[in-house]
Each structure stands twice: as structure tokens, then as C-alpha cells.
Amino acid sequence: MTKFDEATQVIRVDERTYDVCLDDGYSLGGPLNGGYLLATVLRAVVDSSPHDHPVSTSAQFLRAPRPGPARVEVEELRSGGTVTVTRARLVRDGTAFVETLVTTASLDGDAEPAWTGRPRVRMPPPEECVRLPGPRPDSNMNFGAQVDLLFDPATIGWVSGAPSGRPESRAYFRLAQPQDPDPYVLALAVDSLPPVVFSSGARGWAPTVELTWHLRALPAPGPLTLLGSGRLVSDGWFDEDVEVWDSAGRLVAQSRQLALVGRRGA
Amino acid sequence: MTKFDEATQVIRVDERTYDVCLDDGYSLGGPLNGGYLLATVLRAVVDSSPHDHPVSTSAQFLRAPRPGPARVEVEELRSGGTVTVTRARLVRDGTAFVETLVTTASLDGDAEPAWTGRPRVRMPPPEECVRLPGPRPDSNMNFGAQVDLLFDPATIGWVSGAPSGRPESRAYFRLAQPQDPDPYVLALAVDSLPPVVFSSGARGWAPTVELTWHLRALPAPGPLTLLGSGRLVSDGWFDEDVEVWDSAGRLVAQSRQLALVGRRGA
């Protein structure tokens, strides 16, 4: 079992309850990465469903849980031949931290697209991409050690005080411990980029309010390409769209989150 | 009170329950328009919230309700100074038809964007746009009479058997009975276009499984511009993104839905 599979594992207590242990390794200086929380919730949902794949997940992030034991509570809202809809909540001591609605279905791994768009921007080849500097040792920013992100340099000028001026973030993604991508890795991937508003000039913790992502195909082995962008930064809110393309050049996941712009220096 | 305001009105029964009456005028030949259902649910959510605006709404469409009396059940999941998160369900006789998670907040009507993208496609001027032919009189496709959609001709070749080959749908939008747009009108607007897959060659009822939309700004009076597109049609599923721009040229709403491709002739 890989570290990621272990960190996201769920233990069935009864037909509506799973025990989980939230891993400090996915901490972002205190709060845990939202994609990591979703991957954990989705393992419980899929275990409870007659279907194999989390096709659509929408999540509201109510509170930031600390690492440690927690539970996923699942409730089947509708089940049919094609899809099952489940309400799933990450709770501890009776308090909900993440609230989700999930549609599961069974995707065909051999399906060929009837129609597909192309990436809207071209990534430079990996050898022209760069890693971000590591966090300060005392920062508890552990998440960065779990993933290997190779950034399009054009999107990380903010690191050296020269943001591009546009909300964007693009990188090649792998887990630090090698593992073929699956739907749970995709749940992590869609929330693993630095906030797109960093490159439009904002800084600080940018809490996700809502994140919806759709699994569009089962990913091929190999690195993923994450293309993140935003359409509007206004009134303290921004959107972040992430498209995930697999090593075979297929669009495998789409996400959009609505988040609050951080305060500079926060 | 306009017809739309009347059709979406909610009557408070107690702090968790609202009575509604689902209007046959929003029928799509049987099922009711999903955006209409969301507008109704959102009126109850906002009435129950300390905040004024439905900033983020994600909905799973479990079953298609018939017209007639129903209820919206609301449950506050978290409330703070900036946002309130509410679970809201459209139910009848104890059966849930639509399940939603909604974040409410109070937007500043005078906020100027810190950064904004531009429309990705240019709409032809209204005088070059066209209406769709009316439905067959016996079809119970009443929804079309509630809205006035002026289509970009490039996106409705499918009507005459010449689809563009790309998933797209673009139109100017007004309510048939004049009314300035507000967040509830936007909830209707984001689900009012013909499915984008019609222009990539699919036909038939395309049931929405999940729809998430974000209110990004309060719309100015006047017509709205709806820009709909898809990124992938595969394995029986498609995505539909709709951007809503107001008459002042501002992005006021973003939606994405995941839906099932209809069967031809269905």
C-alpha cells in the first residue's frame, strides 16, 4: 500500500459510517489540503456504492479539520442502474467539516471520446519546468513533500515578486512516492496547485468555499498535466478552474472552485 | 409581482420548511426546467439566511418532479460573518427530487473587479441572431414561452440538420415578461440553453446529473448574454459550461453541469 493509499484509507464501521485517520502529512501549515480530504471521503462513498467511480463530486468546506481520527458518514440519496447519488460528510465529535454530494457511476476504461476539446494553453516540456523552493522548516507545510509539481515558469513569477498579472497556475503532477493515478489521486490533483490568484498578485491563505470536480475518464499511467486558470477576481472572491490531462493526452478531470482571496501577509 | 417571481415564490411554514408550487409553465415536455427548480430552492435558502445572495449553489438532480405543490427543506450547516452554508432539498411526500448545498454571502453591488477575463467568443449583434421555431402545440414544451432567447446562428445549425460539430450554444436572454435580472433569474438563465451537445450531433432528453453555479456579481438591468460550451463528450457523459455576462459587460455567473447524452429520437 502506498503512503497516499494508506493516508486516505477508510475502515467500514457500519453501512453508514467509516473511520478515517487524517494525516498531518497533507497539512498546509495547519489546515489540511482539501483534495486530500475529498479523496478520503470518496473512498468511503465508492465503498458504499454499487458503482465503481466518483463521477461528480461537489463539496462545501465548512471548517478546517485538524489531523487525527475522524469519520465519514454516508447516506444514499438515490440509486439506479446508471448512477448512485450519495451525501457524504467528514465529521468529528458530531461536527461536520466537509459536506459533499457525490454521483457514482461505472465508467468504461476503453471509451473513445465522441468529441474532445484541446488544452487551451501549451505546457513547456518538463525540462523547461521548475520546482518551487521548499517551505521554511518550521512552517508545517507538509503537503509539498507528498507531490512532485513541475511548474510552467510563466505561472510562478509571483515567487520572485513578479506575478504574471493573470490568475493562472500550471504544472506537471506526480505523487512523490510513485503511484499510477486513479480517481483518488485526481481528487488530490485538482486541489494541489498554488491558488491561481497568486499569479494575479494576491497572497495569503485562500480558503476554498466550494469545489466541484468531475471525473471524465480513467487516467493512463504516468504524470498528469494540471492547467489552472481563473475568470474573475472580484469583491474578495475568485474562481479557479483546473483541467487535468493524462499522459495519453486525454482530459480526465475538470474542477472549479470558488474561494476567498487571502489577505496579503495573512 | 412578475410571473417568474410568482412561479418561484416560497411560503415559510417554519424555520426549516417552505411551501412552494411548481409551475407547469416551466415544463420541458414533462420534466420541469432545472434552473427553475433551483431558483425556487434558492428563494427559500436566502430567506432563511442572514446573508443576501446565493453565491455558490451545487445541485444533484435525483428525480424529475411534476408540477404542483412541494416543499423546500433547509438546514443551516454553518453560519459565520462572511458566509452561511445551507443544505436545501426539494421534496414531495417525503421524497427528495433535488438536493443542494448553497453558500450565501452578501455581495457588494459596487465592487469593481480586481481582474477579469474577457468572453472567449464574440456574439454577433442581436439583429443577426435568431429565435428557435416554437414547439409542437401538443408537446407541453412550455418553458420556451417563459424566456426570449436570441441565438447565435452558428450554434443552432442542428435545428436544420447541420450541427456545427462542436458542443456550443450561445444566446441573448431575457424573460418573456420583462423583468430586470437578479440572482434567481440567473439561476434560470444558466440552465436555459438547449444542451450544448445538440450542436455536436446528439439529440434527445439530456438529463442533468449535477449542476454547480456561482453568482459572481449582481447583474445590471437589461439582457443577459449566455455563452455555453463543452470540453468533452465521452462514454455517454458531457459537460456544459455557461458564462453569463450582463448588459454592462460583466461576468455575473458561471455554471457547469455534468449530464447524460440523450439517445437520438428519445
Side-chain angles (χ1 to χ4, degrees), chain B residues 131-155:
Chain B
R131 292 184 172 82
L132 285 181
R136 289 192 306 268
D138 61 346
S139 68
N140 200 27
M141 291 289 283
N142 300 332
F143 176 68
Q146 309 297 337
V147 294
D148 182 15
L149 291 168
L150 267 177
F151 287 91
D152 178 346
T155 69

Side-chain angles (χ1 to χ4, degrees), chain B residues 103-118:
Chain B
T103 295
T104 44
S106 294
L107 295 182
D108 174 2
D110 296 323
E112 287 298 321
W115 187 91
T116 180
R118 297 284 156 211

Side-chain angles (χ1 to χ4, degrees), chain A residues 55-63 75 77-79 82-83 85-87 89 96 99-109 111-120 165-167 200 209-210 212 214-217 229-235 237-239 241-243 245 250-252 254-258 260, chain B residues 55-63 75 77-79 82-83 85-87 89 96 99-109 111-120 165-167 200 209-210 212 214-217 229-235 237-239 241-243 245 250-252 254-258 260:
Chain A
V55 167
S56 176
T57 302
S58 49
Q60 301 255 0
F61 292 87
L62 307 178
R63 301 168 183 88
E75 178 190 357
L77 301 176
R78 180 181 186 279
S79 193
T82 306
V83 303
V85 181
T86 304
R87 179 193 192 196
R89 318 165 74 205
E99 180 89 32
T100 71
L101 293 170
V102 182
T103 295
T104 44
S106 294
L107 294 181
D108 175 2
E112 287 298 322
W115 187 90
T116 181
R118 296 285 156 211
R120 290 200 176 97
R166 295 179 300 276
S200 65
V209 171
E210 200 273 348
T212 294
H214 304 309
L215 172 67
R216 303 306 311 279
S229 60
R231 296 288 286 153
L232 180 67
V233 187
S234 184
D235 202 8
W237 297 85
F238 72 98
D239 59 293
D241 257 57
V242 177
E243 286 192 352
W245 296 77
R250 292 186 53 173
L251 179 61
V252 292
Q254 295 169 283
S255 77
R256 179 178 292 152
Q257 58 176 279
L258 188 70
L260 290 162
Chain B
V55 166
S56 176
T57 303
S58 49
Q60 301 256 0
F61 292 87
L62 307 178
R63 301 167 183 90
E75 178 190 358
L77 300 176
R78 179 181 187 279
S79 193
T82 307
V83 302
V85 181
T86 304
R87 178 193 192 196
R89 318 164 75 206
E99 181 90 31
T100 71
L101 293 169
V102 182
T103 295
T104 44
S106 294
L107 295 182
D108 174 2
E112 287 298 321
W115 187 91
T116 180
R118 297 284 156 211
R120 290 200 177 97
R166 295 180 301 275
S200 66
V209 170
E210 200 273 348
T212 294
H214 304 309
L215 171 67
R216 303 306 310 279
S229 60
R231 297 287 287 152
L232 181 66
V233 186
S234 184
D235 203 8
W237 297 86
F238 72 97
D239 60 292
D241 257 58
V242 177
E243 287 192 352
W245 297 77
R250 293 187 52 174
L251 179 61
V252 292
Q254 295 170 283
S255 76
R256 180 178 290 152
Q257 58 176 279
L258 189 69
L260 290 161

